Amino acid sequence: TNPTNDQSRLRITGTAWAGRPEVTFTCTNSRRYRLESRPDLGSGAWLPLGATNQPGPAGGSMTLTDAPSLERGLYRVRVTLP
């Protein structure tokens, strides 16, 4: 994301559940991304899932997944500088 470009922003473009949660979003190669989860809004810290701090492809899309689970939870994508 580029703070001087109003078209440059993180957008969740899709979610899916095919036996495991999947989150798809816009990305850039100048940032790193990781999927985090927690059981609910009122408890626990956000925990990183799977491979963390993945670089994104240039001007593309990325999908991050969690391990198969039958439990509910909340997910977010964390964006950091390399």
Side-chain angles (χ1 to χ4, degrees):
T1 56
N2 179 344
T4 62
N5 179 347
D6 65 352
Q7 296 302 308
S8 176
R9 60 188 176 271
L10 177 70
R11 284 179 297 207
I12 303 297
T13 58
T15 58
W17 182 275
R20 64 185 340 165
E22 298 179 353
V23 179
T24 303
F25 53 93
T26 58
C27 63
T28 178
N29 61 351
S30 64
R31 300 289 185 267
R32 294 188 174 270
Y33 304 87
R34 76 177 181 206
L35 188 62
E36 297 179 338
S37 76
R38 67 192 284 183
D40 58 63
L41 284 176
S43 66
W46 288 97
L47 300 174
L49 303 171
T52 62
N53 294 321
Q54 297 295 305
S61 177
M62 181 180 236
T63 299
L64 296 175
T65 62
D66 189 7
S69 174
L70 298 177
E71 296 183 29
R72 295 181 189 207
L74 301 171
Y75 293 90
R76 74 178 182 185
V77 175
R78 185 176 189 119
V79 183
T80 60
L81 291 169

